[in-house]
Amino acid sequence: MRKGVNYADRRMTTKLTQQDIHEFWQQHSRFLKTNLVTESANPLTANLSTICKTDLAKAFAIFKQVELNAIMALTNYTHQIAALQQDIWQTIHNGHTIYLIGCGSSGRLAILLTRLYRLYNPQTSLQVIGINSGGDVALVKSIEQFEDNPNFGIKQLLQQKYTKNDLVIGLTASGESPFITKAVEYATHTNPGIQPWLVFNNPATSLLERNPQHIINNPHIKLLALDVGSMALTGSTRLQATTAMQIALGIALCNKPNPHNNSSICRQIGQIYQLIQAIPLTKLSGITALEKNIVAQQKFILYQTNDAVLGLSLLADTTERAPTFNLPPFENMNSLSYSQPSPFYISMLNTSSANDAWQILLAQPPICLNWVNYPETTAQYINGFDLSATSKRSSGVYLPNQQYGASWLLIQNKQLQINLDISPNGNKEQFNLLLPDELLQRTLVYKLLLNSHSTLMMGALDYFEGNMMLSLNPSNFKLIDRAIRYSQFILKQQHNITLDYNIIAETVFKQIQYLKAGESIVKKVTALHIDNYR
């Protein structure tokens, strides 16, 4: 029985329309070819959920090893990273703009990379623009229907004043997001002399097996296929896949090319490997265990920070917990009567309004699309996510249970200090870490700490089984397919029930409308089919 927060009083997703189902079946043939590295199970983490409950320190050690393996694999791609770096800096030298476009975790990465570039290069800060599907509101809540829409990426590019001399770099872990692939393909038609890039985490051959018409056949598109192995949690590309893109794009964006570029990139990857290897990650176990107990008691966590880049890292990890584990997303302060509190929230210290908090995080007002029929894309909506120190959520005034502050602080610009204090009635845990001077390297430290902490905490709370993501929120076609495949797998392996993909799909379609926060779509679907066989 799951020990997590009981959020079963509200549904998480709306009913699929017949048009949604029709579009899914139009694409489903590629889903049947289960050959993607990013969707494969990692043998190192086969029993991760059990280890999370019995030996949290060991779980951290395993997670770190998966991360190190992914980083080491990047040394196979130094030539391609160097070529991307050359194109980026040639575009900037010519006075044109780089567009980083992604969705979900890759979209949040695009925003973080943009912020990093501007800190490294303030003189040319406006020459890199990050585009996230749905606009900057997707930093806190993914907007449904965007990732699967092939026209929206193009529309967002044009809204951000893309011109034919600019360079588009698409970031998609799977390599298949229509939002991204169509935007990259569009860029090839505007100026044949400027070749866009597609960055992804699967072998190109796998993509062609699934879709022989894939845009990677286009000779005017340059490819960076960062195959770094399977994820610590099966299919969770917010983990090692996004880490690989963060390293590759970070090196290319934050460092100008030099005559010994390949060896320089290899050396930087080696330095990152050594940095991650040296982190005493197991010492985070106490904070993770304590936070797990808070969530298990249906109480709440407020992450407090005093640094913008650390804040963006916290925001990415906490936002991504919602679709990964079917948790309520951040609640909007403008519609509290209709919102369900997320177990986690962010507070930017020393800010007094939503505008202040967003300005600190992004160094500019949030990008809002203001599209008709999409009220979530307005400035009014995003400002309802008040991440300031004076917000209603910071005070916890409307929460049904107690909220505890977890501070992630940058001390004297050189040390990370994490504190979680539930005294006088409970324990106090602290984690201190001396940080590297290099800002890109810091973001990778933050990402590892947060990804491992949140994944292993949710494992200890029964939100996945083995290394299989059973509690995902099926909010797009990729996740719907994953729910179908996982249900099919469990029925066959654990219950000796063999069912056709299409039969399970129909059950998933029906059950999505009834799915509540904290419920497992996979367990719900498998239980129904088991009952039918009795």
PDB file of all heavy atoms in Angstrom, residues 82-109:
ATOM      1  N   ALA A  82      31.706  19.532 -30.677  1.00  0.00           N
ATOM      2  CA  ALA A  82      32.576  20.593 -31.199  1.00  0.00           C
ATOM      3  C   ALA A  82      31.972  21.242 -32.435  1.00  0.00           C
ATOM      4  O   ALA A  82      32.040  22.470 -32.606  1.00  0.00           O
ATOM      5  CB  ALA A  82      33.956  20.016 -31.521  1.00  0.00           C
ATOM      6  N   ALA A  83      31.357  20.437 -33.306  1.00  0.00           N
ATOM      7  CA  ALA A  83      30.726  20.990 -34.512  1.00  0.00           C
ATOM      8  C   ALA A  83      29.540  21.876 -34.142  1.00  0.00           C
ATOM      9  O   ALA A  83      29.330  22.948 -34.729  1.00  0.00           O
ATOM     10  CB  ALA A  83      30.283  19.854 -35.428  1.00  0.00           C
ATOM     11  N   LEU A  84      28.753  21.437 -33.163  1.00  0.00           N
ATOM     12  CA  LEU A  84      27.636  22.252 -32.685  1.00  0.00           C
ATOM     13  C   LEU A  84      28.154  23.551 -32.092  1.00  0.00           C
ATOM     14  O   LEU A  84      27.598  24.633 -32.338  1.00  0.00           O
ATOM     15  CB  LEU A  84      26.841  21.468 -31.642  1.00  0.00           C
ATOM     16  CG  LEU A  84      25.732  22.227 -30.896  1.00  0.00           C
ATOM     17  CD1 LEU A  84      24.686  22.750 -31.862  1.00  0.00           C
ATOM     18  CD2 LEU A  84      25.089  21.329 -29.837  1.00  0.00           C
ATOM     19  N   GLN A  85      29.210  23.475 -31.318  1.00  0.00           N
ATOM     20  CA  GLN A  85      29.803  24.663 -30.715  1.00  0.00           C
ATOM     21  C   GLN A  85      30.242  25.667 -31.793  1.00  0.00           C
ATOM     22  O   GLN A  85      30.014  26.878 -31.665  1.00  0.00           O
ATOM     23  CB  GLN A  85      30.989  24.252 -29.845  1.00  0.00           C
ATOM     24  CG  GLN A  85      31.598  25.364 -29.020  1.00  0.00           C
ATOM     25  CD  GLN A  85      32.771  24.859 -28.187  1.00  0.00           C
ATOM     26  OE1 GLN A  85      33.615  24.109 -28.692  1.00  0.00           O
ATOM     27  NE2 GLN A  85      32.820  25.259 -26.926  1.00  0.00           N
ATOM     28  N   GLN A  86      30.856  25.177 -32.842  1.00  0.00           N
ATOM     29  CA  GLN A  86      31.286  26.054 -33.941  1.00  0.00           C
ATOM     30  C   GLN A  86      30.090  26.768 -34.562  1.00  0.00           C
ATOM     31  O   GLN A  86      30.143  27.982 -34.828  1.00  0.00           O
ATOM     32  CB  GLN A  86      32.016  25.233 -35.012  1.00  0.00           C
ATOM     33  CG  GLN A  86      33.384  24.719 -34.600  1.00  0.00           C
ATOM     34  CD  GLN A  86      34.456  25.805 -34.616  1.00  0.00           C
ATOM     35  OE1 GLN A  86      34.233  26.925 -35.070  1.00  0.00           O
ATOM     36  NE2 GLN A  86      35.624  25.470 -34.098  1.00  0.00           N
ATOM     37  N   ASP A  87      29.004  26.045 -34.804  1.00  0.00           N
ATOM     38  CA  ASP A  87      27.821  26.651 -35.412  1.00  0.00           C
ATOM     39  C   ASP A  87      27.200  27.699 -34.491  1.00  0.00           C
ATOM     40  O   ASP A  87      26.735  28.755 -34.948  1.00  0.00           O
ATOM     41  CB  ASP A  87      26.786  25.575 -35.739  1.00  0.00           C
ATOM     42  CG  ASP A  87      27.136  24.804 -37.005  1.00  0.00           C
ATOM     43  OD1 ASP A  87      28.216  25.052 -37.579  1.00  0.00           O
ATOM     44  OD2 ASP A  87      26.324  23.946 -37.416  1.00  0.00           O
ATOM     45  N   ILE A  88      27.172  27.405 -33.195  1.00  0.00           N
ATOM     46  CA  ILE A  88      26.601  28.360 -32.236  1.00  0.00           C
ATOM     47  C   ILE A  88      27.377  29.667 -32.254  1.00  0.00           C
ATOM     48  O   ILE A  88      26.800  30.762 -32.392  1.00  0.00           O
ATOM     49  CB  ILE A  88      26.612  27.745 -30.819  1.00  0.00           C
ATOM     50  CG1 ILE A  88      25.523  26.677 -30.690  1.00  0.00           C
ATOM     51  CG2 ILE A  88      26.418  28.837 -29.749  1.00  0.00           C
ATOM     52  CD1 ILE A  88      25.579  25.878 -29.401  1.00  0.00           C
ATOM     53  N   TRP A  89      28.695  29.563 -32.157  1.00  0.00           N
ATOM     54  CA  TRP A  89      29.473  30.793 -32.032  1.00  0.00           C
ATOM     55  C   TRP A  89      29.636  31.527 -33.357  1.00  0.00           C
ATOM     56  O   TRP A  89      29.797  32.750 -33.363  1.00  0.00           O
ATOM     57  CB  TRP A  89      30.823  30.478 -31.383  1.00  0.00           C
ATOM     58  CG  TRP A  89      30.612  30.207 -29.924  1.00  0.00           C
ATOM     59  CD1 TRP A  89      30.454  29.005 -29.320  1.00  0.00           C
ATOM     60  CD2 TRP A  89      30.444  31.190 -28.897  1.00  0.00           C
ATOM     61  NE1 TRP A  89      30.214  29.160 -27.975  1.00  0.00           N
ATOM     62  CE2 TRP A  89      30.211  30.497 -27.685  1.00  0.00           C
ATOM     63  CE3 TRP A  89      30.487  32.588 -28.883  1.00  0.00           C
ATOM     64  CZ2 TRP A  89      30.009  31.148 -26.475  1.00  0.00           C
ATOM     65  CZ3 TRP A  89      30.288  33.242 -27.670  1.00  0.00           C
ATOM     66  CH2 TRP A  89      30.047  32.527 -26.491  1.00  0.00           C
ATOM     67  N   GLN A  90      29.524  30.818 -34.469  1.00  0.00           N
ATOM     68  CA  GLN A  90      29.510  31.502 -35.761  1.00  0.00           C
ATOM     69  C   GLN A  90      28.228  32.310 -35.911  1.00  0.00           C
ATOM     70  O   GLN A  90      28.248  33.448 -36.396  1.00  0.00           O
ATOM     71  CB  GLN A  90      29.614  30.481 -36.902  1.00  0.00           C
ATOM     72  CG  GLN A  90      29.774  31.116 -38.289  1.00  0.00           C
ATOM     73  CD  GLN A  90      31.053  31.927 -38.399  1.00  0.00           C
ATOM     74  OE1 GLN A  90      32.143  31.421 -38.134  1.00  0.00           O
ATOM     75  NE2 GLN A  90      30.934  33.198 -38.783  1.00  0.00           N
ATOM     76  N   THR A  91      27.120  31.736 -35.475  1.00  0.00           N
ATOM     77  CA  THR A  91      25.841  32.452 -35.517  1.00  0.00           C
ATOM     78  C   THR A  91      25.892  33.705 -34.650  1.00  0.00           C
ATOM     79  O   THR A  91      25.454  34.791 -35.056  1.00  0.00           O
ATOM     80  CB  THR A  91      24.700  31.532 -35.051  1.00  0.00           C
ATOM     81  OG1 THR A  91      24.652  30.379 -35.889  1.00  0.00           O
ATOM     82  CG2 THR A  91      23.356  32.246 -35.103  1.00  0.00           C
ATOM     83  N   ILE A  92      26.438  33.566 -33.453  1.00  0.00           N
ATOM     84  CA  ILE A  92      26.540  34.723 -32.552  1.00  0.00           C
ATOM     85  C   ILE A  92      27.481  35.773 -33.127  1.00  0.00           C
ATOM     86  O   ILE A  92      27.191  36.980 -33.097  1.00  0.00           O
ATOM     87  CB  ILE A  92      26.999  34.249 -31.152  1.00  0.00           C
ATOM     88  CG1 ILE A  92      25.872  33.436 -30.490  1.00  0.00           C
ATOM     89  CG2 ILE A  92      27.393  35.428 -30.272  1.00  0.00           C
ATOM     90  CD1 ILE A  92      26.272  32.712 -29.236  1.00  0.00           C
ATOM     91  N   HIS A  93      28.615  35.332 -33.683  1.00  0.00           N
ATOM     92  CA  HIS A  93      29.570  36.266 -34.305  1.00  0.00           C
ATOM     93  C   HIS A  93      28.914  37.043 -35.441  1.00  0.00           C
ATOM     94  O   HIS A  93      29.210  38.236 -35.642  1.00  0.00           O
ATOM     95  CB  HIS A  93      30.774  35.492 -34.830  1.00  0.00           C
ATOM     96  CG  HIS A  93      31.760  36.340 -35.574  1.00  0.00           C
ATOM     97  ND1 HIS A  93      32.643  37.202 -34.932  1.00  0.00           N
ATOM     98  CD2 HIS A  93      32.000  36.476 -36.917  1.00  0.00           C
ATOM     99  CE1 HIS A  93      33.375  37.829 -35.832  1.00  0.00           C
ATOM    100  NE2 HIS A  93      33.008  37.406 -37.046  1.00  0.00           N
ATOM    101  N   ASN A  94      28.005  36.399 -36.159  1.00  0.00           N
ATOM    102  CA  ASN A  94      27.332  37.056 -37.291  1.00  0.00           C
ATOM    103  C   ASN A  94      26.176  37.949 -36.845  1.00  0.00           C
ATOM    104  O   ASN A  94      25.505  38.559 -37.684  1.00  0.00           O
ATOM    105  CB  ASN A  94      26.810  35.999 -38.270  1.00  0.00           C
ATOM    106  CG  ASN A  94      27.936  35.269 -38.982  1.00  0.00           C
ATOM    107  OD1 ASN A  94      29.071  35.746 -39.043  1.00  0.00           O
ATOM    108  ND2 ASN A  94      27.631  34.091 -39.517  1.00  0.00           N
ATOM    109  N   GLY A  95      25.933  38.001 -35.543  1.00  0.00           N
ATOM    110  CA  GLY A  95      24.901  38.892 -35.017  1.00  0.00           C
ATOM    111  C   GLY A  95      23.498  38.311 -35.036  1.00  0.00           C
ATOM    112  O   GLY A  95      22.513  39.050 -34.889  1.00  0.00           O
ATOM    113  N   HIS A  96      23.380  37.006 -35.189  1.00  0.00           N
ATOM    114  CA  HIS A  96      22.073  36.374 -35.254  1.00  0.00           C
ATOM    115  C   HIS A  96      21.764  35.628 -33.944  1.00  0.00           C
ATOM    116  O   HIS A  96      22.543  35.690 -32.997  1.00  0.00           O
ATOM    117  CB  HIS A  96      22.001  35.452 -36.471  1.00  0.00           C
ATOM    118  CG  HIS A  96      22.276  36.174 -37.766  1.00  0.00           C
ATOM    119  ND1 HIS A  96      21.543  37.259 -38.180  1.00  0.00           N
ATOM    120  CD2 HIS A  96      23.241  35.979 -38.716  1.00  0.00           C
ATOM    121  CE1 HIS A  96      22.017  37.699 -39.331  1.00  0.00           C
ATOM    122  NE2 HIS A  96      23.062  36.950 -39.673  1.00  0.00           N
ATOM    123  N   THR A  97      20.648  34.935 -33.921  1.00  0.00           N
ATOM    124  CA  THR A  97      20.105  34.407 -32.666  1.00  0.00           C
ATOM    125  C   THR A  97      20.069  32.874 -32.671  1.00  0.00           C
ATOM    126  O   THR A  97      19.793  32.256 -33.693  1.00  0.00           O
ATOM    127  CB  THR A  97      18.682  34.960 -32.424  1.00  0.00           C
ATOM    128  OG1 THR A  97      18.747  36.395 -32.416  1.00  0.00           O
ATOM    129  CG2 THR A  97      18.116  34.484 -31.092  1.00  0.00           C
ATOM    130  N   ILE A  98      20.349  32.300 -31.495  1.00  0.00           N
ATOM    131  CA  ILE A  98      20.216  30.864 -31.261  1.00  0.00           C
ATOM    132  C   ILE A  98      18.869  30.611 -30.601  1.00  0.00           C
ATOM    133  O   ILE A  98      18.543  31.239 -29.586  1.00  0.00           O
ATOM    134  CB  ILE A  98      21.327  30.337 -30.323  1.00  0.00           C
ATOM    135  CG1 ILE A  98      22.714  30.781 -30.792  1.00  0.00           C
ATOM    136  CG2 ILE A  98      21.225  28.817 -30.176  1.00  0.00           C
ATOM    137  CD1 ILE A  98      23.145  30.218 -32.099  1.00  0.00           C
ATOM    138  N   TYR A  99      18.086  29.696 -31.148  1.00  0.00           N
ATOM    139  CA  TYR A  99      16.818  29.295 -30.537  1.00  0.00           C
ATOM    140  C   TYR A  99      16.941  27.860 -30.029  1.00  0.00           C
ATOM    141  O   TYR A  99      17.120  26.926 -30.816  1.00  0.00           O
ATOM    142  CB  TYR A  99      15.668  29.401 -31.544  1.00  0.00           C
ATOM    143  CG  TYR A  99      15.248  30.824 -31.815  1.00  0.00           C
ATOM    144  CD1 TYR A  99      15.873  31.578 -32.814  1.00  0.00           C
ATOM    145  CD2 TYR A  99      14.256  31.439 -31.063  1.00  0.00           C
ATOM    146  CE1 TYR A  99      15.506  32.894 -33.059  1.00  0.00           C
ATOM    147  CE2 TYR A  99      13.878  32.757 -31.293  1.00  0.00           C
ATOM    148  CZ  TYR A  99      14.507  33.479 -32.293  1.00  0.00           C
ATOM    149  OH  TYR A  99      14.148  34.790 -32.516  1.00  0.00           O
ATOM    150  N   LEU A 100      16.860  27.696 -28.707  1.00  0.00           N
ATOM    151  CA  LEU A 100      16.830  26.378 -28.081  1.00  0.00           C
ATOM    152  C   LEU A 100      15.372  26.035 -27.842  1.00  0.00           C
ATOM    153  O   LEU A 100      14.680  26.731 -27.094  1.00  0.00           O
ATOM    154  CB  LEU A 100      17.578  26.382 -26.754  1.00  0.00           C
ATOM    155  CG  LEU A 100      19.034  26.853 -26.763  1.00  0.00           C
ATOM    156  CD1 LEU A 100      19.563  26.968 -25.336  1.00  0.00           C
ATOM    157  CD2 LEU A 100      19.897  25.891 -27.576  1.00  0.00           C
ATOM    158  N   ILE A 101      14.875  24.967 -28.471  1.00  0.00           N
ATOM    159  CA  ILE A 101      13.454  24.647 -28.357  1.00  0.00           C
ATOM    160  C   ILE A 101      13.268  23.231 -27.822  1.00  0.00           C
ATOM    161  O   ILE A 101      13.888  22.280 -28.303  1.00  0.00           O
ATOM    162  CB  ILE A 101      12.728  24.844 -29.707  1.00  0.00           C
ATOM    163  CG1 ILE A 101      11.235  24.547 -29.569  1.00  0.00           C
ATOM    164  CG2 ILE A 101      13.365  24.027 -30.833  1.00  0.00           C
ATOM    165  CD1 ILE A 101      10.402  25.029 -30.754  1.00  0.00           C
ATOM    166  N   GLY A 102      12.460  23.111 -26.783  1.00  0.00           N
ATOM    167  CA  GLY A 102      12.211  21.814 -26.170  1.00  0.00           C
ATOM    168  C   GLY A 102      10.817  21.761 -25.578  1.00  0.00           C
ATOM    169  O   GLY A 102      10.060  22.740 -25.639  1.00  0.00           O
ATOM    170  N   CYS A 103      10.464  20.605 -25.034  1.00  0.00           N
ATOM    171  CA  CYS A 103       9.181  20.479 -24.335  1.00  0.00           C
ATOM    172  C   CYS A 103       9.371  19.567 -23.131  1.00  0.00           C
ATOM    173  O   CYS A 103      10.254  18.699 -23.129  1.00  0.00           O
ATOM    174  CB  CYS A 103       8.089  19.958 -25.254  1.00  0.00           C
ATOM    175  SG  CYS A 103       8.427  18.371 -26.013  1.00  0.00           S
ATOM    176  N   GLY A 104       8.582  19.785 -22.098  1.00  0.00           N
ATOM    177  CA  GLY A 104       8.758  19.016 -20.872  1.00  0.00           C
ATOM    178  C   GLY A 104      10.111  19.300 -20.257  1.00  0.00           C
ATOM    179  O   GLY A 104      10.538  20.453 -20.137  1.00  0.00           O
ATOM    180  N   SER A 105      10.836  18.252 -19.879  1.00  0.00           N
ATOM    181  CA  SER A 105      12.139  18.452 -19.231  1.00  0.00           C
ATOM    182  C   SER A 105      13.144  19.102 -20.168  1.00  0.00           C
ATOM    183  O   SER A 105      13.978  19.904 -19.730  1.00  0.00           O
ATOM    184  CB  SER A 105      12.679  17.115 -18.710  1.00  0.00           C
ATOM    185  OG  SER A 105      12.810  16.172 -19.757  1.00  0.00           O
ATOM    186  N   SER A 106      13.082  18.803 -21.472  1.00  0.00           N
ATOM    187  CA  SER A 106      14.023  19.446 -22.397  1.00  0.00           C
ATOM    188  C   SER A 106      13.682  20.919 -22.589  1.00  0.00           C
ATOM    189  O   SER A 106      14.570  21.739 -22.844  1.00  0.00           O
ATOM    190  CB  SER A 106      14.039  18.722 -23.747  1.00  0.00           C
ATOM    191  OG  SER A 106      12.819  18.864 -24.440  1.00  0.00           O
ATOM    192  N   GLY A 107      12.407  21.273 -22.460  1.00  0.00           N
ATOM    193  CA  GLY A 107      12.029  22.685 -22.524  1.00  0.00           C
ATOM    194  C   GLY A 107      12.510  23.452 -21.303  1.00  0.00           C
ATOM    195  O   GLY A 107      12.988  24.584 -21.412  1.00  0.00           O
ATOM    196  N   ARG A 108      12.396  22.833 -20.129  1.00  0.00           N
ATOM    197  CA  ARG A 108      12.922  23.483 -18.923  1.00  0.00           C
ATOM    198  C   ARG A 108      14.445  23.601 -18.994  1.00  0.00           C
ATOM    199  O   ARG A 108      15.026  24.580 -18.523  1.00  0.00           O
ATOM    200  CB  ARG A 108      12.470  22.710 -17.682  1.00  0.00           C
ATOM    201  CG  ARG A 108      10.990  22.964 -17.333  1.00  0.00           C
ATOM    202  CD  ARG A 108      10.500  22.157 -16.161  1.00  0.00           C
ATOM    203  NE  ARG A 108      10.099  20.825 -16.546  1.00  0.00           N
ATOM    204  CZ  ARG A 108       8.898  20.497 -17.016  1.00  0.00           C
ATOM    205  NH1 ARG A 108       7.977  21.433 -17.175  1.00  0.00           N
ATOM    206  NH2 ARG A 108       8.610  19.247 -17.331  1.00  0.00           N
ATOM    207  N   LEU A 109      15.084  22.608 -19.611  1.00  0.00           N
ATOM    208  CA  LEU A 109      16.528  22.692 -19.823  1.00  0.00           C
ATOM    209  C   LEU A 109      16.863  23.850 -20.754  1.00  0.00           C
ATOM    210  O   LEU A 109      17.856  24.560 -20.532  1.00  0.00           O
ATOM    211  CB  LEU A 109      17.049  21.376 -20.401  1.00  0.00           C
ATOM    212  CG  LEU A 109      18.532  21.358 -20.791  1.00  0.00           C
ATOM    213  CD1 LEU A 109      19.421  21.636 -19.577  1.00  0.00           C
ATOM    214  CD2 LEU A 109      18.904  20.026 -21.442  1.00  0.00           C
TER     215      LEU A 109
END
